[in-house]
């Protein structure tokens, strides 16, 4: 999860594939070759946006079910460089205030994660 200057980075999925046109925090499932979750996230940003990111601490996690399978979504704080992004897996991406973010059609698991971490983000800004 990238968060800077009071805004979160989110991207809208393509029309094809899982959860078409829904918004998400970019990332993905770890591959066998990924040594850890942070490396996985770095790889996903390179593949999906053509940028090298810096992955920080864990932001939060939430369990969820999808098609009868249980998962745990783990969010990490990510710093995205100011270079232009190449949208390879998304139709649009941008920076959104918490209010704007909650107005997007977020995937259910990402919405749950936002609702968990927003109080932490807002309390740290005081």
């Amino acid at each position: 999860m990238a968060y800077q200057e009071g805004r979160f980075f989110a991207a809208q999925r393509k029309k094809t594939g899982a959860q078409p046109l829904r918004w998400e925090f970019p990332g993905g499932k770890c591959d066998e070759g990924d040594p850890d979750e942070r490396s996985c996230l770095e790889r996903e940003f390179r593949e999906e946006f053509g940028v090298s990111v810096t992955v920080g601490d864990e932001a939060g996690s939430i369990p969820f079910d999808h098609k009868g399978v249980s998962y745990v979504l783990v969010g990490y704080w990510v710093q995205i460089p100011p270079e232009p992004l190449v949208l390879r897996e998304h139709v649009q991406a941008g920076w959104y205030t918490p209010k704007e973010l909650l107005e997007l059609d977020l995937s259910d698991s990402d919405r749950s994660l936002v609702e968990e971490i927003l109080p932490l983000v807002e309390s740290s800004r005081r």
Side-chain angles (χ1 to χ4, degrees):
M1 305 176 71
Y3 180 79
Q4 58 190 54
E5 298 178 13
R7 295 177 180 270
F8 286 92
F9 181 77
Q12 187 179 32
R13 296 174 185 236
K14 290 182 176 181
K15 290 180 183 181
T16 57
Q19 300 190 53
L21 298 179
R22 295 204 64 192
W23 288 82
E24 66 178 355
F25 295 121
K29 295 181 182 87
C30 292
D31 291 342
E32 225 175 90
D34 294 325
D36 56 35
E37 292 173 340
R38 285 176 174 84
S39 298
C40 170
L41 198 50
E42 291 167 354
R43 177 186 51 76
E44 288 284 344
F45 268 89
R46 277 191 311 275
E47 290 175 0
E48 294 179 8
F49 299 100
V51 296
S52 294
V53 298
T54 302
V55 181
D57 294 333
E58 184 177 317
S61 64
I62 53 112
F64 71 99
D65 291 329
H66 181 68
K67 296 184 178 180
V69 179
S70 295
Y71 298 92
V72 175
L73 174 63
V74 181
Y76 286 89
W77 297 115
V78 175
Q79 291 180 334
I80 301 174
E83 61 197 63
L85 301 176
V86 178
L87 300 179
R88 295 179 178 140
E89 298 297 326
H90 299 87
V91 292
Q92 61 180 321
W95 294 90
Y96 301 91
T97 65
K99 182 180 185 288
E100 293 168 334
L101 187 66
L102 292 172
E103 291 172 356
L104 298 175
D105 184 20
L106 284 169
S107 69
D108 295 339
S109 56
D110 284 13
R111 180 171 301 281
S112 295
L113 185 59
V114 168
E115 291 168 353
E116 178 182 309
I117 65 154
L118 268 183
L120 302 173
V121 169
E122 291 172 354
S123 69
S124 71
R125 294 182 66 200
R126 293 183 187 144

